[in-house]
Amino acid sequence: MKTSRFLPAGTANIAVLAFCFLPHALIRAQENSASAHSAGSPPRYINVVHERLKPGRDAAYDGMLSNIRDDYERFNIPAYWIEMKSITGPDESFSLNFGDSFGDLEKMGAGMAAAVTAHPELAGLQDRQLAENTSSVTNLIAERVDPLSFHAGSINFAKMRMLQVTVFHIRPGHEGEFAEAAKSIASAYEKVAGSPAWVIYAVHSGAPVPCYLMLTALSSLKDEDDAAAPRAPAMEAAGPAVERRLQEIARSAYDSIETNIYVVNPLLSHMPSDFTAEDPAYWMPKTAPASEVKSSR
């Protein structure tokens, strides 16, 4: 965790992007796979920390986060995050914390609480970083929805360099239609070679619901070109009846859809060794200071 959602008042607070699929909560828990996965596989839960940056504060934010990250390494604090910066949309930080249970998230929070008690200067630095450099923070927890995802088992977040995030805000009572649309689209793409993989998360807490996040890991922006190629063949394979139904659902069920792309900064991230071991040259480079790793904004 970048800062703990479980710390008492007076320590830095952080926000997450999430959504909720409440009418299908029981179904989701029963259908989600419990099979073994690699450290880079999509976890069952994500905690998304969304920080809107004040104008002109990018460099200061990165510099302070670099110091915070170094302290987490030095003090061996078992709380982890992937740090990203927006390259579309507002200027903002977007970070992911992983957990396969709420117990995992709580354990990270407890470890951080103990660390800032032992090192109060770290808590002060985290508070300053947010107060001086951010205008708003959102904190959300979301659960993976396997039946609505597409080849999610092939996704490895340890290999990604960018992340495309699509947020679906659904009108209450239309969650079933969203699920129908997601499954129809996945079925259509299944018929076309070279289709991109994605994983869908439903927010458990921290945001208005129902809301969904679709995450697509990218190695570069060129992946967007590759993802565009199967769209027309996939819809052709689905047939006109399915396409008409998808248009009906879009009109009746969706309040809004927003897509943004974020670039990963490995030098401002803090991930466990089994994760970084999947691509150590990227996650643990012996090069420039973290503040010199810039996004393409």
Side-chain angles (χ1 to χ4, degrees), residues 44-66:
R44 182 171 180 181
Y45 293 100
I46 55 173
N47 177 218
V48 183
V49 177
H50 214 203
E51 297 169 349
R52 184 70 57 87
L53 302 184
K54 294 177 181 177
R57 299 301 298 178
D58 292 61
Y61 176 96
D62 287 356
M64 295 177 79
L65 181 55
S66 177

Side-chain angles (χ1 to χ4, degrees), residues 71-84:
D71 282 347
Y72 273 68
E73 289 281 347
R74 183 158 51 98
F75 300 139
N76 197 27
I77 301 173
Y80 305 102
W81 67 89
I82 298 176
E83 179 70 13
M84 290 172 267

Side-chain angles (χ1 to χ4, degrees), residues 154-197:
S154 68
I155 295 172
N156 188 344
F157 286 130
K159 297 291 186 180
M160 76 175 176
R161 302 298 182 261
M162 298 178 179
L163 182 68
Q164 179 178 284
V165 180
T166 301
V167 181
F168 299 87
H169 289 285
I170 305 302
R171 292 171 185 150
H174 291 268
E175 297 90 340
E177 289 175 280
F178 176 80
E180 177 188 347
K183 291 177 180 179
S184 294
I185 291 170
S187 177
Y189 273 89
E190 193 70 70
K191 301 171 184 175
V192 180
S195 295

Side-chain angles (χ1 to χ4, degrees), residues 123-265:
L125 182 57
Q126 291 178 158
D127 287 339
R128 280 186 51 219
Q129 188 215 19
L130 292 183
E132 296 176 10
N133 302 306
T134 66
S135 58
S136 66
V137 181
T138 309
N139 187 345
L140 310 162
I141 295 174
E143 184 179 3
R144 194 183 69 233
V145 187
D146 290 340
L148 305 187
S149 302
F150 182 70
H151 291 188
S154 68
I155 295 172
N156 188 344
F157 286 130
K159 297 291 186 180
M160 76 175 176
R161 302 298 182 261
M162 298 178 179
L163 182 68
Q164 179 178 284
V165 180
T166 301
V167 181
F168 299 87
H169 289 285
I170 305 302
R171 292 171 185 150
H174 291 268
E175 297 90 340
E177 289 175 280
F178 176 80
E180 177 188 347
K183 291 177 180 179
S184 294
I185 291 170
S187 177
Y189 273 89
E190 193 70 70
K191 301 171 184 175
V192 180
S195 295
W198 63 80
V199 58
I200 288 185
Y201 283 86
V203 171
H204 177 277
S205 52
V209 298
C211 173
Y212 300 86
L213 300 179
M214 183 172 75
L215 308 184
T216 305
L218 308 175
S219 59
S220 70
L221 283 177
K222 184 181 179 301
D223 288 353
E224 288 291 291
D225 297 326
D226 298 335
R231 287 174 193 160
M235 288 301 97
E236 183 178 350
V242 171
E243 192 167 1
R244 284 195 300 271
R245 177 57 180 155
L246 291 174
Q247 291 171 352
E248 291 172 2
I249 292 173
R251 288 191 294 268
S252 65
Y254 296 178
D255 255 345
S256 67
I257 304 173
E258 181 178 0
T259 298
N260 282 301
I261 300 173
Y262 301 87
V263 62
V264 176
N265 189 327

